[in-house]
Coordinates of all heavy atoms in Angstrom, one line a residue:
M202 N 42.0 -80.8 70.2 CA 42.8 -79.9 69.4 C 42.3 -78.4 69.6 O 41.2 -78.1 69.8 CB 42.6 -80.2 67.9 CG 43.4 -81.4 67.4 SD 44.1 -80.8 65.8 CE 45.4 -82.1 65.7
A203 N 43.3 -77.5 69.5 CA 43.0 -76.1 69.7 C 42.2 -75.6 68.5 O 42.4 -76.0 67.4 CB 44.3 -75.3 69.8
P204 N 41.3 -74.6 68.8 CA 40.7 -74.0 67.6 C 41.7 -73.2 66.8 O 42.8 -72.8 67.4 CB 39.6 -73.0 68.3 CG 40.2 -72.8 69.7 CD 40.9 -74.1 70.0
K205 N 41.3 -72.9 65.6 CA 42.3 -72.2 64.7 C 41.6 -71.0 64.1 O 40.5 -71.1 63.6 CB 42.9 -73.1 63.6 CG 43.7 -74.2 64.2 CD 44.2 -75.1 63.1 CE 45.1 -76.2 63.7 NZ 45.4 -77.3 62.7
L206 N 42.3 -69.9 64.0 CA 41.9 -68.8 63.2 C 42.5 -68.9 61.8 O 43.7 -69.1 61.7 CB 42.4 -67.5 63.9 CG 41.9 -66.2 63.4 CD1 40.3 -66.1 63.5 CD2 42.5 -65.1 64.2
V207 N 41.6 -69.0 60.8 CA 42.1 -69.2 59.5 C 41.6 -68.2 58.5 O 40.5 -67.5 58.7 CB 41.7 -70.6 58.9 CG1 42.3 -71.7 59.8 CG2 40.2 -70.7 58.8
I208 N 42.3 -68.0 57.4 CA 41.8 -67.2 56.3 C 41.5 -68.2 55.2 O 42.4 -68.9 54.7 CB 42.8 -66.1 56.0 CG1 42.2 -65.2 54.9 CG2 44.1 -66.6 55.6 CD1 42.8 -63.8 54.9
E209 N 40.2 -68.3 54.9 CA 39.9 -69.3 53.9 C 40.2 -69.0 52.5 O 40.6 -69.8 51.7 CB 38.3 -69.6 54.1 CG 38.0 -70.2 55.4 CD 36.5 -70.5 55.6 OE1 35.8 -70.1 54.7 OE2 36.2 -71.0 56.6
E210 N 40.0 -67.7 52.2 CA 40.3 -67.3 50.8 C 41.2 -66.1 50.9 O 40.7 -65.0 51.1 CB 39.1 -67.0 50.0 CG 38.2 -68.2 49.8 CD 37.0 -67.9 49.0 OE1 37.1 -67.2 48.0 OE2 35.9 -68.3 49.4
F211 N 42.5 -66.3 50.9 CA 43.4 -65.2 51.1 C 43.3 -64.1 50.1 O 43.6 -62.9 50.4 CB 44.9 -65.7 51.2 CG 45.5 -66.1 50.0 CD1 46.1 -65.1 49.1 CD2 45.6 -67.4 49.6 CE1 46.7 -65.5 48.0 CE2 46.2 -67.8 48.5 CZ 46.8 -66.9 47.6
I212 N 42.7 -64.4 49.0 CA 42.5 -63.3 48.0 C 41.6 -62.2 48.5 O 41.6 -61.1 48.1 CB 42.1 -63.9 46.7 CG1 42.3 -62.9 45.6 CG2 40.6 -64.3 46.7 CD1 42.2 -63.4 44.2
R213 N 40.7 -62.6 49.5 CA 39.8 -61.6 50.1 C 40.5 -60.6 51.0 O 40.0 -59.5 51.2 CB 38.8 -62.3 51.0 CG 37.8 -63.1 50.2 CD 36.7 -63.7 51.2 NE 35.8 -64.6 50.5 CZ 34.9 -65.2 51.1 NH1 34.8 -65.1 52.4 NH2 34.1 -66.0 50.5
C214 N 41.6 -61.0 51.5 CA 42.3 -60.0 52.4 C 42.9 -58.9 51.6 O 43.7 -59.1 50.7 CB 43.4 -60.8 53.2 SG 44.4 -59.7 54.2
T215 N 42.5 -57.7 51.9 CA 42.9 -56.5 51.2 C 43.8 -55.6 52.1 O 44.1 -54.5 51.7 CB 41.7 -55.7 50.7 OG1 40.8 -55.5 51.7 CG2 41.0 -56.5 49.5
G216 N 44.1 -56.1 53.3 CA 45.1 -55.4 54.1 C 44.5 -54.2 54.9 O 45.3 -53.3 55.2
H217 N 43.3 -54.3 55.3 CA 42.7 -53.2 56.1 C 43.4 -53.1 57.4 O 43.4 -52.0 58.0 CB 41.2 -53.5 56.3 CG 40.4 -53.4 55.1 ND1 40.1 -52.3 54.5 CD2 39.8 -54.4 54.4 CE1 39.3 -52.5 53.4 NE2 39.1 -53.8 53.4
G218 N 43.8 -54.2 58.0 CA 44.5 -54.2 59.3 C 43.5 -54.2 60.5 O 44.0 -54.1 61.6
R219 N 42.3 -54.3 60.3 CA 41.3 -54.2 61.4 C 41.4 -55.4 62.3 O 41.2 -55.4 63.5 CB 39.9 -54.0 60.9 CG 39.8 -52.6 60.2 CD 38.5 -52.5 59.5 NE 37.3 -52.6 60.3 CZ 36.1 -52.3 59.9 NH1 35.9 -51.8 58.7 NH2 35.1 -52.4 60.8
C220 N 41.7 -56.6 61.6 CA 41.8 -57.8 62.4 C 42.9 -57.8 63.4 O 42.7 -58.1 64.6 CB 41.9 -59.0 61.5 SG 43.4 -59.0 60.4
Y221 N 44.1 -57.4 63.0 CA 45.2 -57.4 63.9 C 45.1 -56.3 64.9 O 45.8 -56.3 65.9 CB 46.6 -57.6 63.3 CG 46.9 -56.8 62.0 CD1 47.2 -55.4 62.1 CD2 46.8 -57.4 60.8 CE1 47.5 -54.7 60.9 CE2 47.0 -56.7 59.6 CZ 47.4 -55.3 59.7 OH 47.7 -54.6 58.6
S222 N 44.3 -55.3 64.7 CA 44.1 -54.3 65.7 C 43.3 -54.8 66.8 O 43.4 -54.5 68.0 CB 43.4 -53.0 65.1 OG 44.2 -52.4 64.1
E223 N 42.3 -55.7 66.4 CA 41.5 -56.4 67.4 C 42.1 -57.5 68.2 O 41.8 -57.7 69.3 CB 40.2 -56.9 66.8 CG 39.3 -55.9 66.2 CD 38.6 -55.1 67.3 OE1 38.5 -55.6 68.4 OE2 38.1 -54.0 67.0
A224 N 43.1 -58.1 67.6 CA 43.8 -59.3 68.2 C 45.3 -59.2 68.0 O 45.9 -60.0 67.4 CB 43.2 -60.6 67.6
P225 N 45.9 -58.2 68.6 CA 47.3 -57.9 68.4 C 48.2 -59.0 69.0 O 49.3 -59.2 68.5 CB 47.6 -56.6 69.1 CG 46.5 -56.5 70.1 CD 45.3 -57.1 69.5
D226 N 47.7 -59.8 69.9 CA 48.5 -60.9 70.5 C 48.4 -62.2 69.6 O 49.2 -63.1 69.8 CB 48.0 -61.2 71.9 CG 48.4 -60.1 72.9 OD1 49.3 -59.3 72.6 OD2 47.7 -60.0 73.9
L227 N 47.4 -62.2 68.7 CA 47.3 -63.4 67.9 C 47.7 -63.1 66.5 O 48.3 -64.0 65.9 CB 45.8 -63.7 67.8 CG 45.1 -64.3 69.0 CD1 43.6 -64.5 68.7 CD2 45.7 -65.5 69.5
L228 N 47.5 -62.0 66.0 CA 47.8 -61.7 64.6 C 48.9 -60.7 64.3 O 49.0 -59.8 65.1 CB 46.5 -61.3 63.9 CG 45.3 -62.2 63.9 CD1 44.1 -61.6 63.4 CD2 45.7 -63.5 63.1
D229 N 49.5 -60.9 63.2 CA 50.6 -59.9 62.9 C 50.3 -59.6 61.4 O 49.4 -60.1 60.8 CB 52.0 -60.6 63.1 CG 53.1 -59.5 63.2 OD1 52.8 -58.3 63.0 OD2 54.2 -59.9 63.4
Y230 N 51.2 -58.8 60.8 CA 51.0 -58.5 59.4 C 52.3 -58.5 58.7 O 53.4 -58.3 59.3 CB 50.3 -57.1 59.3 CG 51.0 -56.0 60.0 CD1 52.0 -55.2 59.5 CD2 50.6 -55.8 61.4 CE1 52.6 -54.2 60.2 CE2 51.2 -54.8 62.1 CZ 52.2 -54.0 61.5 OH 52.8 -53.0 62.3
D231 N 52.3 -58.7 57.4 CA 53.5 -58.8 56.6 C 53.9 -57.4 56.2 O 53.3 -56.3 56.5 CB 53.4 -59.8 55.5 CG 52.3 -59.4 54.5 OD1 52.0 -58.2 54.4 OD2 51.9 -60.2 53.7
D232 N 54.9 -57.3 55.4 CA 55.5 -56.0 54.9 C 54.5 -55.2 54.1 O 54.6 -54.0 54.0 CB 56.7 -56.3 54.1 CG 57.9 -56.8 54.9 OD1 57.8 -56.6 56.1 OD2 58.8 -57.3 54.3
E233 N 53.5 -55.9 53.5 CA 52.5 -55.2 52.7 C 51.2 -54.9 53.4 O 50.2 -54.4 52.8 CB 52.2 -56.0 51.4 CG 53.5 -56.2 50.6 CD 53.3 -57.1 49.4 OE1 52.3 -57.9 49.4 OE2 54.0 -57.0 48.4
G234 N 51.2 -55.3 54.7 CA 50.0 -55.0 55.5 C 48.9 -56.1 55.5 O 47.9 -55.9 56.1
F235 N 49.3 -57.2 54.9 CA 48.3 -58.3 54.9 C 48.5 -59.1 56.2 O 49.6 -59.3 56.6 CB 48.5 -59.2 53.7 CG 48.1 -58.5 52.4 CD1 49.2 -58.0 51.6 CD2 46.8 -58.3 52.0 CE1 48.8 -57.3 50.4 CE2 46.5 -57.6 50.8 CZ 47.5 -57.1 50.0
V236 N 47.4 -59.7 56.6 CA 47.5 -60.4 57.9 C 48.3 -61.7 57.7 O 48.3 -62.4 56.7 CB 46.0 -60.8 58.4 CG1 45.3 -61.7 57.4 CG2 46.1 -61.3 59.8
S237 N 49.2 -62.0 58.7 CA 50.1 -63.1 58.6 C 49.4 -64.4 58.6 O 50.0 -65.4 58.3 CB 51.2 -63.0 59.7 OG 50.6 -63.0 61.0
V238 N 48.2 -64.5 59.1 CA 47.5 -65.8 59.1 C 47.2 -66.3 57.7 O 46.8 -67.4 57.5 CB 46.2 -65.7 60.0 CG1 45.1 -65.0 59.3 CG2 45.8 -67.1 60.5
R239 N 47.4 -65.4 56.8 CA 47.4 -65.9 55.4 C 48.3 -67.0 55.1 O 48.0 -67.9 54.2 CB 47.8 -64.7 54.4 CG 46.7 -63.8 54.0 CD 47.1 -63.0 52.8 NE 48.5 -62.6 52.7 CZ 49.0 -62.2 51.6 NH1 48.4 -62.2 50.5 NH2 50.3 -61.7 51.6
H240 N 49.3 -67.1 55.8 CA 50.4 -68.1 55.5 C 50.2 -69.4 56.2 O 50.7 -70.4 55.8 CB 51.8 -67.5 55.7 CG 52.0 -66.2 55.0 ND1 51.9 -66.1 53.6 CD2 52.2 -65.0 55.4 CE1 52.1 -64.9 53.2 NE2 52.2 -64.1 54.3
A241 N 49.5 -69.4 57.4 CA 49.3 -70.6 58.1 C 48.2 -70.4 59.1 O 48.0 -69.3 59.6 CB 50.6 -70.9 58.9
P242 N 47.4 -71.4 59.3 CA 46.3 -71.3 60.4 C 46.9 -71.0 61.7 O 48.0 -71.4 62.0 CB 45.7 -72.7 60.4 CG 46.0 -73.3 59.1 CD 47.4 -72.7 58.7
M243 N 46.2 -70.2 62.5 CA 46.7 -69.7 63.7 C 46.0 -70.4 64.9 O 44.8 -70.1 65.1 CB 46.5 -68.2 63.8 CG 46.9 -67.5 65.1 SD 48.7 -67.4 65.3 CE 49.2 -66.4 63.9
E244 N 46.6 -71.2 65.6 CA 46.0 -71.8 66.8 C 45.9 -70.8 67.9 O 46.8 -69.9 68.0 CB 46.8 -73.0 67.3 CG 46.7 -74.2 66.4 CD 47.3 -75.5 67.0 OE1 47.8 -75.4 68.2 OE2 47.3 -76.5 66.4
F245 N 44.8 -70.9 68.6 CA 44.7 -70.0 69.8 C 44.1 -70.8 71.0 O 43.5 -71.8 70.8 CB 43.9 -68.8 69.4 CG 42.5 -69.0 69.0 CD1 41.4 -69.1 69.9 CD2 42.2 -69.2 67.7 CE1 40.1 -69.3 69.5 CE2 40.8 -69.4 67.2 CZ 39.8 -69.5 68.2
T246 N 44.2 -70.2 72.1 CA 43.7 -70.9 73.3 C 42.4 -70.3 73.7 O 42.0 -69.2 73.1 CB 44.7 -70.6 74.5 OG1 44.7 -69.2 74.8 CG2 46.1 -71.1 74.2
E247 N 41.7 -70.9 74.6 CA 40.4 -70.4 75.1 C 40.5 -69.0 75.6 O 39.6 -68.2 75.5 CB 39.8 -71.3 76.1 CG 39.3 -72.6 75.6 CD 38.2 -72.4 74.5 OE1 37.3 -71.5 74.7 OE2 38.3 -73.0 73.4
A248 N 41.7 -68.7 76.2 CA 41.9 -67.3 76.8 C 41.8 -66.2 75.7 O 41.5 -65.1 76.0 CB 43.2 -67.3 77.5
D249 N 42.2 -66.7 74.5 CA 42.2 -65.7 73.4 C 40.9 -65.8 72.5 O 40.9 -65.1 71.4 CB 43.4 -65.9 72.5 CG 44.7 -65.5 73.2 OD1 44.7 -64.5 73.9 OD2 45.7 -66.2 73.1
R250 N 40.0 -66.5 72.9 CA 38.8 -66.8 72.0 C 38.1 -65.4 71.7 O 37.7 -65.2 70.5 CB 37.8 -67.8 72.6 CG 36.6 -68.1 71.7 CD 35.7 -69.1 72.3 NE 36.4 -70.5 72.2 CZ 36.3 -71.2 71.1 NH1 35.7 -70.8 70.0 NH2 36.9 -72.4 71.2
E251 N 37.9 -64.6 72.7 CA 37.1 -63.4 72.4 C 37.9 -62.5 71.5 O 37.3 -61.8 70.6 CB 36.8 -62.6 73.7 CG 35.8 -63.3 74.6 CD 34.5 -63.7 73.8 OE1 34.0 -62.7 73.2 OE2 34.0 -64.8 73.9
D252 N 39.2 -62.4 71.6 CA 40.0 -61.6 70.6 C 39.9 -62.2 69.2 O 39.8 -61.5 68.2 CB 41.4 -61.5 71.0 CG 41.7 -60.5 72.1 OD1 40.7 -59.8 72.5 OD2 42.8 -60.5 72.6
A253 N 39.9 -63.5 69.1 CA 39.8 -64.2 67.8 C 38.4 -63.9 67.2 O 38.3 -63.6 66.0 CB 40.0 -65.7 67.9
K254 N 37.4 -63.9 68.0 CA 36.0 -63.6 67.5 C 35.9 -62.2 67.1 O 35.3 -61.8 66.0 CB 35.0 -63.9 68.6 CG 34.8 -65.5 68.7 CD 34.0 -65.8 70.0 CE 32.6 -65.3 70.0 NZ 31.9 -65.7 71.3
A255 N 36.6 -61.3 67.8 CA 36.6 -59.9 67.5 C 37.3 -59.6 66.1 O 36.8 -58.8 65.3 CB 37.2 -59.0 68.6
A256 N 38.3 -60.3 65.9 CA 39.1 -60.2 64.6 C 38.2 -60.7 63.5 O 38.2 -60.0 62.4 CB 40.4 -61.0 64.7
V257 N 37.5 -61.8 63.7 CA 36.6 -62.3 62.6 C 35.5 -61.2 62.3 O 35.2 -60.9 61.2 CB 36.0 -63.6 63.0 CG1 34.9 -64.0 62.0 CG2 37.1 -64.7 63.1
R258 N 34.9 -60.7 63.3 CA 33.9 -59.7 63.2 C 34.4 -58.4 62.5 O 33.7 -57.7 61.8 CB 33.3 -59.3 64.5 CG 32.3 -60.3 65.1 CD 31.5 -59.8 66.2 NE 32.3 -59.2 67.3 CZ 32.7 -59.9 68.4 NH1 32.3 -61.2 68.6 NH2 33.5 -59.4 69.3
A259 N 35.6 -58.0 62.8 CA 36.2 -56.8 62.3 C 36.5 -56.8 60.9 O 36.7 -55.7 60.2 CB 37.5 -56.4 63.1
C260 N 36.7 -57.9 60.3 CA 37.2 -58.0 58.9 C 36.0 -57.6 57.9 O 35.1 -58.4 57.8 CB 37.7 -59.4 58.5 SG 38.3 -59.5 56.8
P261 N 36.2 -56.5 57.2 CA 35.1 -56.2 56.3 C 35.0 -57.1 55.0 O 34.0 -57.0 54.3 CB 35.5 -54.7 55.9 CG 36.9 -54.6 56.1 CD 37.3 -55.6 57.2
E262 N 36.0 -57.8 54.8 CA 36.1 -58.7 53.6 C 35.6 -60.1 54.0 O 35.5 -61.0 53.1 CB 37.5 -58.8 53.0 CG 38.1 -57.5 52.8 CD 37.4 -56.7 51.7 OE1 36.7 -57.3 50.9 OE2 37.6 -55.4 51.7
R263 N 35.3 -60.3 55.2 CA 34.8 -61.7 55.7 C 35.9 -62.7 55.3 O 35.5 -63.8 54.9 CB 33.4 -62.1 55.2 CG 32.4 -61.1 55.6 CD 31.0 -61.6 55.2 NE 30.0 -60.6 55.5 CZ 29.4 -60.5 56.7 NH1 29.7 -61.3 57.6 NH2 28.5 -59.6 56.9
A264 N 37.1 -62.4 55.5 CA 38.2 -63.3 55.1 C 38.6 -64.3 56.1 O 39.2 -65.3 55.9 CB 39.4 -62.5 54.7
L265 N 38.2 -63.9 57.4 CA 38.7 -64.8 58.5 C 37.5 -65.6 59.0 O 36.4 -65.2 59.0 CB 39.2 -63.9 59.7 CG 40.5 -63.1 59.4 CD1 40.7 -62.1 60.5 CD2 41.6 -64.0 59.3
S266 N 37.9 -66.8 59.5 CA 36.9 -67.6 60.2 C 37.6 -68.4 61.3 O 38.9 -68.6 61.3 CB 36.2 -68.5 59.3 OG 37.1 -69.4 58.7
I267 N 36.8 -69.0 62.2 CA 37.3 -69.8 63.3 C 36.9 -71.3 62.9 O 35.7 -71.5 62.6 CB 36.8 -69.4 64.6 CG1 37.4 -68.1 65.0 CG2 37.1 -70.5 65.7 CD1 36.7 -67.4 66.3
V268 N 37.9 -72.1 63.0 CA 37.6 -73.6 62.7 C 37.8 -74.3 64.0 O 38.9 -74.2 64.6 CB 38.5 -74.1 61.6 CG1 38.4 -75.6 61.4 CG2 38.3 -73.4 60.3
E269 N 36.8 -75.1 64.4 CA 36.9 -75.9 65.5 C 37.2 -77.4 65.1 O 36.5 -77.9 64.2 CB 35.6 -75.9 66.3 CG 35.1 -74.5 66.7 CD 35.8 -73.9 67.9 OE1 36.6 -74.6 68.5 OE2 35.5 -72.8 68.2
E270 N 38.2 -78.0 65.6 CA 38.5 -79.4 65.3 C 38.4 -80.3 66.5 O 38.7 -79.9 67.6 CB 39.9 -79.4 64.7 CG 40.1 -78.7 63.4 CD 41.5 -78.8 62.9 OE1 42.4 -79.3 63.6 OE2 41.7 -78.4 61.7
D271 N 37.9 -81.5 66.2 CA 37.7 -82.5 67.3 C 39.0 -83.2 67.6 O 39.8 -83.4 66.7 CB 36.6 -83.5 66.9 CG 35.3 -82.8 66.9 OD1 35.1 -81.8 67.6 OD2 34.4 -83.2 66.1
Ligands
SF4_360 S1 40.8 -57.2 58.5 FE1 40.4 -58.7 56.9 S2 41.1 -57.7 55.0 FE2 42.0 -56.6 56.7 S3 44.0 -57.4 57.1 FE3 42.6 -58.5 58.4 S4 41.9 -60.3 57.2 FE4 42.8 -58.8 55.8

């Protein structure tokens, strides 16, 4: 299974936008500036792993994480 970029506690997302600046091909934002992964886990490929990790690191609220599934 593909790894997924998830937001575990969407209440933490305060719409800084730093995550989708780091991973614009993976993440988008809604009309209020909140990351769209709030609504569904985002699968990504190995080619996008570094961008996904950068997005996790960029979030000052620690709202994002990567989940690996077997
Ligand atoms: S950087 Fe964090 S707080 Fe900001 S939009 Fe992304 S998930 Fe939300």
